[in-house]
Amino acid sequence: MSSPIPPDPKGDPKGTDDSHGKSAGRLVGRAAELAVIDGLFGSAVTRGTALMLTGEAGVGKSALLDAAALRASEIGFRVLRVVGSQFEKGVSFSALNQILQPLAGEIPALPPRQAETLQAVRGLAEGRPTELLVIANAVQALLTRAATASSPLALVIDDVTWLDRPSAAVLGTVARSVHTGSLALLAASRTGDVSFLSSTGTPTHEVQPLDDVAAHELVSERFPAMAARVRRRLVSEARGNPLALLELPVPLNDAQQTERGTLPAVLPLTERLKKIFSSRVEALPDATRKLLLLAVLDASGDLHVLQRAMGSPDGLRGLCSAERAGLVQVDNLTGRLVFRHPLTRSAVMDLSTSAERRWGHLTLAGELPEGSERRARHLADAAVGPDDQVAALLHEVAYSTLHRGDAVGAISTLLRASELSSTGEAKGRRLAEAACLGANITGDLGNVRALLENAGRADPAGTESLAAATAAASQLLNGEGDVDTAHRLLVTAIDTHARPEDTDDNILREALNTLLMVCFFSGRPELWHSFDSVVTRCRPPSSNRLLPVILGAFGDPAYAALPVLDRLDGLISGLHQESDPVRVFGTALSAAYVDRLPGCRSALRRVIDDGRNGGAMALAIQAQFLLANDAYAGGQWDDLMEMTDEGLGWCATYNYRLPASSGHFLQGLLAAARGDSSTAREVADRLVSWGNPRGLGALRVYAAQIRALSALGSADFDTGYRLLRALGTPGEVPRYQPHALWLLLDFAEAATRTDHHDEAAAHVEAIRKTDIPSISPRLAMLTDAAEAMAVPDFIDHDLFEAAIATPGAERWPFDWARICLAYGERLRRAKAGVAARVHLEAALGTFERLGAVPWSARAASELRASGILIRTVIPGAGPPSQLTPQERQVAQLAATGLTNKQIAAHLFLSPRTVAAHLRGVFRKLNVTSRAGLRDALSGVTP
């Protein structure tokens, strides 16, 4: 690291960035922050650590990072520096290459696939990496290799807000797994800025302004001749900001600093500082300013690039005057050129002419290979007017950016491509494509209308293009819920424009995805039939392996899921390597009704994090509700409320009215399960009143399920039966009605408790005929339970026991507890009170944990009706409290001397189940025989 440059005779602080709060090579007033940083590096030797420094602009974050890098290097760390650049934020992997460059020598030692991936990121190998997670894994492997206990690694990142999105996504993955190696990650950003670390759980430390004592010390040491009254004025107006403290005195002459002259009435911080930076740049020779302009536009800090661009071995000599002026320095650790303060870069750009900037971009483009993304972007920035060749290059870059997970970058690139298009047709097409991606992926419905209007002005015929129709349909669907108009627009546009020889696969994919959601929310089989016809006519590319899976597992799971489940399971297993958020969402959507959402959780969270960071918000909303679906099924009901609240907040912000219905449905369902009947009724009424006039059949089913669950919880079986019976005909499993799979247990219970046993039996027979139980263990469990309920004359112990003993049944606690309750109710009515109690207590315990109040009341009522006192555990009694209700019942009977076979007959269990329970009892109570059970259970009393 360069040593701080001393002030000039006026007290002009050279090198503002690394002098924030520095005096004579030390940081003033930063003992607490340096202690935190020292602790970070101390912990990283044995276990990776991460920390984000936040604070206002100019507070000294960069100075702290400089000090941290130096201290880390002194104690044996290998230091990697990364600096985000405003002008490179749109260039994919520009920040990541700042890490890869100094580690280039170690890349060949990685496994071949990972080495090839990183070389492609660096632009040194053919092919382009398209999966961010694959890149992240390769980077993680490289860092792990570089970081050892004897030589740990420090990754120091400044201006994280300006990192390009793909690099930020990769570094976010690194941050999440930082604890697995000897790596210290230290980053800095302005307070309130959202970055790749925002959703990783990385601890933050806010760098506060200097207190008055430290501020006076800093100014006194750097400007010793300054009068006390002037110093107090500066300290008062700077309010502890080190940059202001050091820069505000610069324009003051000697008389003003010594109080022999009058101070300006106002010392505006921002404008004054900008003028200071501009004046320093203006004073540089032309050759130096050219070099600095190239450095700003390139933003990599690679001196070799600058040297080649200048076309001379001596081309870097011009940097000497900039370094002497304290504007730039060459980092001793990385060998890269760095600006001491980001405002210097802004000043260089502000002072350059448009012709100079075009020269810079063209010069840098000439140093990059044909077909590279960076070359295309430089050429676009250099273009004066329309240039169809560059527009075509940008069009390709946009979709490669999209498939790497950067939808926002893709839209920005499409908009620039439209500006460079010479014909109205090309301009309109690219504007329409931007509108399509904005509506379907990023959630920018508010801007879609303006984009479509601009596209129409550029090419009136283009308003009927597939991209324009998809954007308009998405806006109608998500905003107004107008499924009929959206359906008509899409089908017409696909029929007109989707010819295999000239259809853009990306836009066709978005059109079909939108049409898919139109069909789902309509709830009408005829629309699904038209979807099948459309797919047959337009013949999507064979590379789209996901569409048949979505149609089978999501569109018509009762009849078409089984043939595609193997493919779906394969897609889910590969989600950790999938960077395209559209494919992540499509895979998770396919998993929703076939009980495979748990395998999609981490990928869905990535989509949500991307949305929080300004990415694909439309997909983030839907991903959030899919995770909430999983939380409901898995009994994570408190998490469900947090998820849906956040998702509904996004819907309100972006005017996503139809997707909001999914969040409202889940909240209504939870309210019904927990006994909040007024909220459940209000949600159901709102869904119906909004959905019915728009022909949204899915919302009618949502409302019916909420109302029916509320009725069943309060034992109003007649109302539950009436609501569910209206949704279909017993004995028929409807086509294209995926939600029917979520109503199996509800209808079986409602029908049997209202003496419609024949209807319940017919429903179960239809379920088995379509082989629904083979789709998932959960559906098999529900089918067994429904069939057991449908039998009117005797208790089918085998079916009930099979349902309760379903492998992994604990993953669906509410469903499982309802089956236990139904079995216990039957046993109690058959006078098998002891056996009933086992299942009723199991149900009660689960319902209480979930907060399912009406269902707890039903279970407790049945227990009281059995006439058997509910045993409780004496406070402080110890180990018996560890037992489940069924384990405790088995243990109590075993303590009386009964054999496993006798206990099994007594409790209507299998001897094998009894043996399994006893093994758990012995382990929990730390006993080895039945003889020890009586003493161990002495803490349990009636």
Side-chain angles (χ1 to χ4, degrees):
M1 297 289 293
S2 301
S3 61
I5 300 174
D8 67 10
K10 277 180 57 179
D12 187 355
K14 306 294 185 183
T16 56
D17 185 57
D18 77 340
S19 59
H20 293 185
K22 282 189 178 181
S23 180
R26 68 184 180 89
L27 283 175
V28 174
R30 295 305 185 197
E33 285 79 5
L34 290 174
V36 170
I37 289 170
D38 288 342
L40 177 81
F41 291 135
S43 301
V45 174
T46 56
R47 182 173 182 269
T49 55
L51 179 68
M52 168 71 91
L53 298 179
T54 63
E56 65 183 21
V59 79
K61 302 182 295 296
S62 297
L64 282 167
L65 293 185
D66 289 344
L70 183 60
R71 293 161 89 97
S73 181
E74 290 172 346
I75 61 175
F77 277 73
R78 185 176 183 180
V79 180
L80 300 178
R81 297 294 299 268
V82 179
V83 180
S85 166
Q86 178 181 2
F87 306 107
E88 285 284 281
K89 189 171 183 181
V91 180
S92 298
F93 301 114
S94 57
L96 189 58
N97 272 296
Q98 296 180 47
I99 298 175
L100 299 181
Q101 181 64 28
L103 297 178
E106 299 187 47
I107 292 177
L110 295 175
R113 171 77 183 279
Q114 293 181 333
E116 291 170 5
T117 296
L118 295 183
Q119 296 292 42
V121 170
R122 298 179 64 213
L124 300 179
E126 293 185 1
R128 179 177 300 280
T130 59
E131 298 175 348
L132 286 180
L133 190 59
V134 173
I135 298 171
N137 290 338
V139 171
Q140 186 68 46
L142 180 65
L143 294 177
T144 301
R145 179 179 179 82
T148 64
S150 59
S151 179
L153 196 65
L155 183 55
V156 181
I157 309 173
D158 202 0
D159 288 335
V160 299
T161 305
W162 294 117
L163 298 185
D164 61 282
R165 285 179 53 78
S167 295
V170 170
L171 290 173
T173 302
V174 171
R176 290 185 183 90
S177 57
V178 71
H179 299 297
T180 61
S182 300
L183 174 66
L185 190 155
L186 181 63
S189 71
R190 293 187 184 185
T191 300
D193 282 354
V194 177
S195 72
F196 72 93
L197 290 175
S198 301
S199 60
T200 62
T202 299
T204 62
H205 179 87
E206 184 165 7
V207 181
Q208 300 292 337
L210 297 176
D211 59 29
D212 284 352
V213 174
H216 278 282
E217 179 185 355
L218 176 63
V219 178
S220 296
E221 292 191 8
R222 291 301 301 270
F223 304 94
M226 183 178 288
R229 184 176 298 180
V230 176
R231 186 173 65 248
R232 285 196 297 271
R233 166 81 184 277
L234 292 176
V235 168
S236 174
E237 293 202 21
R239 299 193 178 185
N241 186 290
L243 177 60
L245 289 166
L246 296 175
E247 293 294 342
L248 284 174
V250 171
L252 303 180
N253 56 39
D254 289 339
Q256 289 171 322
Q257 287 197 30
T258 57
E259 211 178 9
R260 290 183 286 109
T262 304
L263 289 175
V266 178
L267 299 174
L269 176 63
T270 306
E271 292 303 318
R272 179 83 51 152
L273 292 173
K274 284 184 178 179
K275 289 179 180 178
I276 292 170
F277 286 113
S278 297
S279 65
R280 292 181 180 179
V281 175
E282 282 178 317
L284 297 172
D286 288 344
T288 302
R289 289 175 58 180
K290 273 189 173 183
L291 260 174
L292 292 183
L293 178 60
L294 288 174
V296 170
L297 297 177
D298 175 65
S300 70
D302 191 332
L303 294 175
H304 298 291
V305 172
L306 297 180
Q307 187 176 50
R308 290 197 303 269
M310 293 300 290
S312 167
D314 297 329
L316 297 181
R317 286 186 179 276
L319 290 177
C320 295
S321 57
E323 191 164 9
R324 281 194 294 268
L327 298 178
V328 297
Q329 68 179 30
V330 176
D331 193 304
N332 291 335
L333 296 174
T334 66
R336 291 177 175 271
L337 184 73
V338 294
F339 285 87
R340 290 177 177 264
H341 194 279
L343 285 180
T344 304
R345 298 196 295 260
S346 299
V348 170
M349 288 291 286
D350 288 341
L351 293 171
S352 65
T353 66
S354 59
E356 288 171 334
R357 289 193 291 272
R358 286 195 300 274
W359 165 83
H361 285 299
L362 286 172
T363 300
L364 291 169
E367 300 300 320
L368 295 166
E370 291 281 347
S372 70
E373 177 178 333
R374 290 167 64 89
R375 182 176 186 275
R377 293 189 183 278
H378 279 304
L379 290 174
D381 288 335
V384 178
D387 187 324
D388 289 324
Q389 185 177 1
V390 176
L393 291 175
L394 279 187
H395 191 269
E396 294 179 6
V397 166
Y399 285 105
S400 66
T401 301
L402 174 67
H403 295 310
R404 289 202 303 271
D406 186 8
V408 174
I411 292 173
S412 298
T413 306
L414 280 172
L415 293 178
R416 178 57 178 152
S418 74
E419 294 172 356
L420 295 175
S421 302
S422 64
T423 66
E425 180 183 359
K427 184 183 294 289
R429 174 165 59 89
R430 285 162 180 152
L431 285 170
E433 290 179 17
C436 176
L437 298 184
N440 276 17
I441 300 177
T442 64
D444 192 8
L445 289 183
N447 199 34
V448 168
R449 188 182 303 278
L451 287 174
L452 290 177
E453 289 174 355
N454 291 338
R457 283 193 290 270
D459 178 24
T463 57
E464 298 178 0
S465 71
L466 184 57
T470 302
S474 182
Q475 189 178 41
L476 287 167
L477 175 69
N478 293 305
E480 301 302 324
D482 188 349
V483 290
D484 292 317
T485 305
H487 182 266
R488 185 170 60 254
L489 273 174
L490 287 167
V491 171
T492 301
I494 293 173
D495 283 344
T496 303
H497 299 281
R499 292 182 293 275
E501 66 275 9
D502 60 3
T503 300
D504 188 315
D505 291 347
N506 296 288
I507 297 303
L508 179 58
R509 178 180 75 164
E510 297 308 322
L512 292 175
N513 286 345
T514 306
L515 185 57
L516 184 86
M517 300 313 295
V518 166
C519 295
F520 171 78
F521 279 109
S522 75
R524 288 175 249 163
E526 62 270 20
L527 266 61
W528 281 108
H529 292 313
S530 72
F531 188 99
D532 291 338
S533 300
V534 164
V535 170
T536 301
R537 291 195 298 273
C538 73
R539 288 184 292 170
S542 58
S543 59
N544 189 350
R545 298 183 300 118
L546 185 54
L547 182 59
V549 175
I550 298 176
L551 289 176
F554 174 73
D556 192 15
Y559 292 91
L562 287 175
V564 301
L565 287 182
D566 287 344
R567 274 184 285 172
L568 174 59
D569 290 336
L571 289 169
I572 292 173
S573 68
L575 279 180
H576 66 286
Q577 295 182 330
E578 181 58 68
S579 61
D580 187 344
V582 177
R583 289 184 62 80
V584 170
F585 172 69
T587 302
L589 189 69
S590 304
Y593 285 107
V594 294
D595 301 315
R596 282 160 170 78
L597 276 177
C600 307
R601 288 170 185 163
S602 61
L604 286 172
R605 291 189 185 105
R606 290 204 312 271
V607 175
I608 293 167
D609 287 344
D610 181 61
R612 290 188 181 118
N613 293 330
M617 178 51 71
L619 296 179
I621 289 171
Q622 299 179 82
Q624 188 76 288
F625 293 147
L626 282 175
L627 272 186
N629 266 317
D630 179 55
Y632 179 78
Q636 307 301 315
W637 288 1
D638 292 334
D639 293 343
L640 181 151
M641 286 303 299
E642 183 177 340
M643 293 173 186
T644 50
D645 281 344
E646 183 175 26
L648 289 171
W650 292 338
C651 289
T653 299
Y654 293 92
N655 197 33
Y656 267 67
R657 300 175 70 190
L658 182 58
S661 65
S662 297
H664 290 307
F665 160 65
L666 289 166
Q667 290 195 346
L669 202 60
L670 182 58
R674 284 185 159 174
D676 185 356
S677 56
S678 61
T679 297
R681 183 169 55 252
E682 178 185 346
V683 171
D685 289 347
R686 190 186 319 137
L687 289 171
V688 169
S689 63
W690 196 76
N692 278 358
R694 295 167 171 80
L696 298 169
L699 271 58
R700 180 173 61 88
V701 178
Y702 284 173
Q705 184 176 2
I706 293 170
R707 290 167 172 164
L709 185 65
S710 186
L712 294 177
S714 59
D716 183 0
F717 301 109
D718 287 325
T719 298
Y721 170 76
R722 176 177 52 79
L723 290 164
L724 296 170
R725 179 65 174 79
L727 296 179
T729 302
E732 296 180 7
V733 178
R735 298 293 305 264
Y736 305 107
Q737 296 288 340
H739 218 73
L741 299 188
W742 287 2
L743 300 173
L744 299 182
L745 193 63
D746 291 350
F747 181 75
E749 181 174 21
T752 56
R753 293 300 295 268
T754 54
D755 295 326
H756 294 91
H757 296 281
D758 291 343
E759 292 186 2
H763 191 57
V764 171
E765 183 180 357
I767 290 168
R768 292 206 181 276
K769 180 181 283 188
T770 54
D771 206 12
I772 288 175
S774 297
I775 293 176
S776 73
R778 174 178 170 271
L779 291 171
M781 176 181 76
L782 296 179
T783 304
D784 285 342
E787 184 173 352
M789 292 179 184
V791 179
D793 300 324
F794 69 97
I795 302 175
D796 194 325
H797 297 288
D798 291 339
L799 281 173
F800 271 121
E801 288 287 350
I804 291 171
T806 297
E810 67 278 358
R811 290 178 289 171
W812 314 288
F814 186 51
D815 290 336
W816 180 82
R818 289 180 61 184
I819 295 169
C820 289
L821 173 60
Y823 191 21
E825 288 173 336
R826 292 244 173 157
L827 290 170
R828 201 270 302 169
R829 286 167 175 72
K831 309 301 183 184
V834 176
R837 179 186 172 199
V838 173
H839 300 292
L840 293 174
E841 285 187 335
L844 178 61
T846 301
F847 290 143
E848 288 179 339
R849 179 180 66 79
L850 294 173
V853 176
W855 298 86
S856 297
R858 277 184 56 184
S861 177
E862 286 292 330
L863 281 168
R864 286 191 295 270
S866 70
I868 300 175
L869 293 176
I870 303 175
R871 295 178 180 266
T872 59
V873 179
I874 297 175
S881 63
Q882 303 172 14
L883 304 182
T884 67
Q886 197 164 64
E887 286 176 337
R888 188 160 61 247
Q889 184 66 37
V890 168
Q892 288 168 341
L893 293 174
T896 66
L898 295 181
T899 65
N900 287 4
K901 187 174 182 180
Q902 290 170 325
I903 296 172
H906 199 66
L907 298 180
F908 296 96
L909 299 173
S910 68
R912 182 179 299 175
T913 300
V914 171
H917 282 316
L918 280 176
R919 285 196 295 272
V921 168
F922 286 171
R923 176 176 53 80
K924 291 180 179 181
L925 300 186
N926 197 26
V927 297
T928 57
S929 66
R930 294 171 185 249
L933 283 177
R934 184 173 301 168
D935 292 337
L937 293 170
S938 61
V940 180
T941 184

